[in-house]
């Protein structure tokens, strides 16, 4: 199983100004089009409860992290809720197999979900869109992040492998991969 973490962040490293804010409220049309085209290409999307509720899609295969879930709980035919502190990733992946084998998975966030996967060294690739806006405060991409998210990821063993401009306003897509 491979895991790609995808996020859109402000130039000062925030994924939202406040919990529950949908990226569509501030992200560029080019980023949103890229994101919406990309997500269906993955077998499963991993996300926190707030991310799930902010962009509810019953037609998507999702693993929803929630500390209030007891173990593994199917709440829809394609929505598995889990408490990742009570259930191993191996058990989560095994539970997904009968619905669709989890070969390529995407990690959508929020912050604690990003932290969980990075702490376990399970992220193979990161697609980070940086929008040319500054929030000044909000939900950081990573807990305890000091400043630029890219610098933090490079310090954690990732390498920048691709970079592209998505529009004339300065929206940039950075692709990072784990240095092996």
């Amino acid at each position: 199983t491979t895991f790609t973490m995808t996020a859109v962040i402000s130039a000062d490293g925030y994924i939202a100004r406040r919990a529950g804010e949908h990226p569509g409220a501030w992200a560029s049309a080019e980023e949103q089009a890229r994101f919406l085209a990309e997500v269906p290409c993955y077998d499963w999307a991993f996300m926190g409860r707030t991310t799930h509720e902010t962009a509810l899609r019953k037609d998507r295969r999702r693993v929803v992290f929630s500390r209030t879930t007891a173990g593994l709980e199917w709440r829809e035919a394609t929505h598995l809720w889990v408490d990742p502190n009570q259930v191993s990733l191996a058990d989560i992946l095994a539970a997904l197999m009968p619905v669709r084998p989890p070969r390529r998975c995407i990690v959508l966030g929020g912050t604690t979900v990003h932290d969980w996967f990075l702490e376990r060294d399970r992220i193979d690739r990161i697609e980070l869109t940086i929008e040319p806006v500054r929030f000044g405060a909000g939900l950081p991409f990573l807990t305890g992040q000091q400043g630029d998210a890219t610098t933090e990821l490079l310090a954690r063993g990732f390498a920048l492998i691709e970079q592209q401009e998505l529009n004339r306003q300065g929206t940039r897509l950075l692709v990072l991969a784990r240095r092996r």
Side-chain angles (χ1 to χ4, degrees):
T1 303
T2 63
F3 291 93
T4 298
M5 183 180 290
T6 299
V8 58
I9 64 172
S10 64
D12 52 354
Y14 296 101
I15 58 174
R17 289 174 279 237
R18 65 194 154 280
E21 180 181 42
H22 191 283
W26 58 273
S28 65
E30 294 83 359
E31 189 285 329
Q32 289 290 282
R34 186 199 73 78
F35 175 80
L36 293 173
E38 190 76 15
V39 171
C41 299
Y42 288 88
D43 298 316
W44 290 92
F46 284 71
M47 66 196 70
R49 179 191 51 79
T50 302
T51 301
H52 169 71
E53 291 172 352
T54 300
L56 184 62
R57 293 285 304 257
K58 291 188 179 195
D59 61 325
R60 298 277 170 86
R61 292 174 303 279
R62 293 181 164 187
V63 177
V64 181
F65 282 15
S66 174
R67 290 182 290 265
T68 62
T69 302
L72 298 165
E73 182 183 331
W74 287 98
R75 294 200 182 166
E76 298 284 340
T78 58
H79 292 179
L80 178 63
W81 285 61
V82 301
D83 180 342
N85 298 315
Q86 293 181 21
V87 181
S88 72
L89 182 58
D91 288 342
I92 295 168
L93 297 175
L96 301 176
M97 286 295 289
V99 177
R100 182 168 178 148
R103 292 183 185 96
R104 292 183 65 234
C105 297
I106 190 167
V107 177
L108 301 178
T111 304
T112 57
V113 177
H114 296 155
D115 294 340
W116 192 89
F117 277 92
L118 287 168
E119 287 166 5
R120 286 155 183 80
D121 195 27
R122 290 307 309 249
I123 297 299
D124 302 287
R125 177 182 171 96
I126 298 173
E127 296 176 356
L128 191 63
T129 303
I130 303 172
E131 293 287 0
V133 297
R134 293 188 174 277
F135 295 159
L139 301 175
F141 175 65
L142 301 169
T143 299
Q145 175 184 314
Q146 298 298 316
D148 182 52
T150 308
T151 302
E152 178 78 23
L153 293 168
L154 295 172
R156 290 180 183 223
F158 288 87
L160 182 63
I161 61 169
E162 183 183 336
Q163 184 172 200
Q164 61 180 286
E165 296 286 325
L166 296 184
N167 60 32
R168 290 185 182 149
Q169 290 72 42
T171 302
R172 297 179 301 135
L173 172 64
L174 307 180
V175 179
L176 301 101
R178 172 74 63 197
R179 278 183 253 148
R180 300 283 178 201

